Amino acid sequence: MIPQNWLVEAIGYLAAAANVFVFVSNTMIPLRIAAIAANALFAAYFFLKGYYPLFALNAFMAPINVFRLHQMRRLILDVRHATQQAAEGEFDYEWLRPYMKPLKIPAGFTLHRKGDLSEEAYIIVKGEILLLEPNVTLKAGAFFGEMGLFTEENRRTATVVAATEVELLCVRYDELLELAAQNPRFGFYLMKLMMRRMQHNVELAREGAAAKEKPVTAENRTDA
């Protein structure tokens, strides 16, 4: 049974309203939802009106917008997962192996010094690394060396020494930026990791300043 003319026109007006919302939406997910609704309503309207080329266009665009909506929701979940990984100090680096080169260094070897020009970041596969200035030991699975990417003139922010025999994976900064752009989870992990280390450095600086301001008393003097 063919719907009455008023019902067909109502579908057309609803389609137009959904299409207007597409253009005024400020965020992507509501925009995609409105686009899907507009495509579905326009497809129904043009089919009932007998405008089959326009029906075919909207019928084709609807699943594309559904796919894009799925991508956006997946991206949000990936970002949340990456943020949680960074907060917990966990990172699965196996997918990075094809883009990195292996490097072995003996115990006591100085990988780089504070102020050196930096061009690479590292992942510890085996062994332990000591960051001298903040006096922090990094173990297998840790990602380090990325801070130089964000400093002025790409200079190292700490001296790095191998506490034990160490196996590393090395990646250049230009490749690191490409990977961060291609993989949002890795990009957000990198950002959160950088922020955590900056906060840690600020805390160390505050502790050092507090220690210098501590008054000397008979109890804590060492020259008596």
Side-chain angles (χ1 to χ4, degrees):
M1 183 177 180
I2 300 177
Q4 297 180 6
N5 188 61
W6 68 267
L7 181 57
V8 176
E9 295 304 320
I11 293 174
Y13 282 114
L14 288 173
N19 201 48
V20 169
F21 188 80
V22 170
F23 289 98
V24 300
S25 178
N26 293 323
T27 54
M28 288 301 297
I29 288 184
L31 184 152
R32 291 294 179 187
I33 294 174
I36 293 167
N39 289 147
L41 289 167
F42 271 129
Y45 177 77
F46 289 129
F47 178 80
L48 294 171
K49 282 288 189 177
Y51 301 138
Y52 299 116
L54 293 175
F55 158 74
L57 173 63
N58 283 275
F60 176 75
M61 291 299 298
I64 293 177
N65 279 307
V66 170
F67 176 71
R68 293 300 185 190
L69 176 61
H70 172 74
Q71 283 185 319
M72 289 301 301
R73 286 179 170 170
R74 185 68 220 176
L75 174 61
I76 291 173
L77 290 175
D78 285 346
V79 167
R80 288 175 179 171
H81 182 59
T83 304
Q84 182 180 3
Q85 280 188 323
E88 295 175 353
E90 300 176 357
F91 179 61
D92 180 11
Y93 61 83
E94 287 299 325
W95 69 274
L96 278 172
R97 279 186 182 271
Y99 308 97
M100 307 183 77
K101 62 180 181 180
L103 178 66
K104 291 184 179 182
I105 56 176
F109 181 83
T110 300
L111 186 61
H112 55 72
R113 298 185 182 277
K114 184 177 181 179
D116 287 351
L117 184 65
S118 55
E119 298 179 343
E120 298 171 322
Y122 308 90
I123 293 174
I124 304 174
V125 178
K126 182 180 179 182
E128 295 182 355
I129 285 288
L130 176 62
L131 307 183
L132 293 185
E133 282 73 21
N135 192 27
V136 172
T137 300
L138 303 178
K139 300 184 179 182
F143 187 87
F144 72 97
E146 82 292 343
M147 288 294 291
L149 178 62
F150 304 97
T151 59
E152 187 175 358
E153 298 181 351
N154 296 119
R155 297 292 176 177
R156 295 294 185 188
T157 60
T159 299
V160 174
V161 178
T164 64
E165 183 175 323
V166 177
E167 294 181 13
L168 301 171
L169 292 174
C170 174
V171 60
R172 293 183 58 83
Y173 282 164
D174 53 354
E175 296 176 345
L176 189 67
L177 290 173
E178 291 180 9
L179 292 169
Q182 294 172 10
N183 191 314
R185 287 178 61 181
F186 178 62
F188 271 78
Y189 172 83
L190 196 62
M191 182 175 66
K192 287 286 290 186
L193 181 65
M194 182 185 67
M195 292 302 298
R196 281 199 303 125
R197 290 192 175 155
M198 290 178 64
Q199 290 172 353
H200 181 67
N201 291 339
V202 170
E203 290 173 1
L204 290 175
R206 287 176 177 173
E207 291 176 1
K212 289 181 181 180
E213 294 175 359
K214 185 177 181 180
V216 178
T217 64
E219 295 179 356
N220 58 27
R221 288 183 59 184
T222 58
D223 56 349

